[in-house]
Amino acid sequence: MTTTAILSDIHGNLAALESVLEDIAGQNVDRIVCLGDIVGYGPHPCACLDKASEFDFCVLGNHDSSALFDPEGFNASAEQAIFWTRAQLESGQGSEEDSRRRLEFLCELPRTVREGDLLFVHGSPRGPTNEYVFPEDTQNTKKMEKLFSLVPHLCFQGHTHVPGIFTSHNSFLRPIEIPTGYAANDPSLRLMINVGSVGQPRDGDSRSCYVIFDGEVVTYRRVEYDVERTVREIEAEAELDNFLGHRLREGR
């Protein structure tokens, strides 16, 4: 059975991505997939895109889309960061051919990938690129019923940077509650699995987060990385708000 490492929300944080890939190398994984937002916020969009282009597949995130088109609903620092990111992709590291290759890679990213009864999206099964599903949405019965009606069995997603598993019984299980993993091999189950964020965790834990799925069990991995390296690299870029680096220290 195929074992898959599922990443999301790298956000140009090369130090985090390198540490996660090093961890994956020791996990007997068959493939790596990414649920979007390779770029945005962080100081190394080009290098992160180059690494992501080697994964088995990636889906389109809202920041990836905004690097190509105009951002919608972004706060001031996020908007400034995405315009800086776009400039880096258009005329950043490497040759014109490198820039063209990166932009073409983003342009060709699908909004969803479906493999049998597994669905891979950035946001949600209803709004694959932009819809947020937060833990508190378990109180919104109508929203959750609609979302689960679109889940074939398992839906892997990111976007909120908050890892955990939504069950069709309107509960949300955080990684700390399932330290040995969550059995997901019952085909009658319907789950939405937020894999967390590699490059900008927001659950109060500064470590990168990703998921390994072996076809039966969903297991969360937390990986320490050199946060201060990324903070320094953001501070060195005048067009990136220092807050985007400082928040990494607390996982917020």
Side-chain angles (χ1 to χ4, degrees):
M1 187 156 308
T2 301
T3 298
T4 305
I6 309 171
L7 320 182
S8 191
D9 297 275
I10 297 164
H11 282 297
N13 188 338
L14 183 61
L17 179 58
E18 288 174 340
S19 293
V20 165
L21 292 177
E22 184 177 349
D23 187 74
I24 289 172
Q27 300 305 313
N28 197 27
V29 162
D30 299 306
R31 63 176 187 162
I32 303 173
V33 306
C34 178
L35 305 183
D37 278 5
I38 304 161
V39 303
Y41 298 134
H44 290 291
C46 295
C48 288
L49 269 176
D50 291 345
K51 289 185 179 296
S53 68
E54 299 175 357
F55 298 163
D56 284 75
F57 68 79
C58 300
V59 299
L60 181 72
N62 62 309
H63 283 255
D64 305 322
S65 177
S66 295
L68 298 169
F69 309 104
D70 288 336
E72 294 183 9
F74 281 21
N75 62 39
S77 62
E79 183 176 275
Q80 185 176 5
I82 207 64
F83 287 138
W84 175 86
T85 295
R86 183 184 298 173
Q88 295 300 302
L89 297 179
E90 291 175 343
S91 60
Q93 299 173 356
S95 64
E96 285 187 21
E97 175 64 27
D98 292 325
S99 295
R100 183 166 57 252
R101 172 177 49 79
R102 293 176 185 126
L103 291 169
E104 286 176 352
F105 173 74
L106 283 179
C107 285
E108 293 170 359
L109 291 180
R111 295 172 71 243
T112 66
V113 170
R114 175 81 180 260
E115 294 182 337
D117 58 2
L118 306 181
L119 180 63
F120 300 85
V121 301
H122 179 64
S124 83
R126 178 172 62 180
T129 304
N130 291 299
E131 185 175 23
Y132 290 96
V133 188
F134 289 105
E136 55 266 31
D137 284 328
T138 56
Q139 304 302 311
N140 187 339
T141 303
K142 285 188 176 181
K143 177 177 180 177
M144 298 305 283
E145 284 179 351
K146 178 58 179 177
L147 293 177
F148 274 108
S149 74
L150 301 171
V151 175
H153 170 37
L154 306 181
C155 177
F156 293 94
Q157 59 204 72
H159 196 30
T160 67
H161 304 204
V162 179
I165 296 178
F166 295 91
T167 75
S168 56
H169 302 295
N170 284 354
S171 62
F172 181 74
L173 303 172
R174 298 179 185 275
I176 195 170
E177 300 175 74
I178 45 174
T180 59
Y182 190 89
N185 56 342
D186 181 347
S188 68
L189 280 176
R190 284 184 295 166
L191 304 171
M192 291 189 293
I193 300 159
N194 191 304
V195 304
S197 173
V198 168
Q200 197 169 91
R202 291 184 189 165
D203 63 336
D205 187 333
S206 64
R207 296 175 297 170
S208 294
C209 186
Y210 76 97
V211 153
I212 292 177
F213 179 56
D214 64 0
E216 295 189 355
V217 178
V218 174
T219 306
Y220 282 90
R221 299 282 302 174
R222 300 305 295 239
V223 181
E224 292 186 1
Y225 73 95
D226 188 349
V227 173
E228 293 305 317
R229 169 186 156 188
T230 303
V231 172
R232 291 192 301 271
E233 290 168 342
I234 289 175
E235 289 176 338
E237 293 291 346
E239 294 182 56
L240 294 179
D241 190 332
N242 289 346
F243 166 73
L244 298 175
H246 297 168
R247 72 187 302 178
L248 298 176
R249 293 172 172 145
E250 308 197 337
R252 296 293 183 190

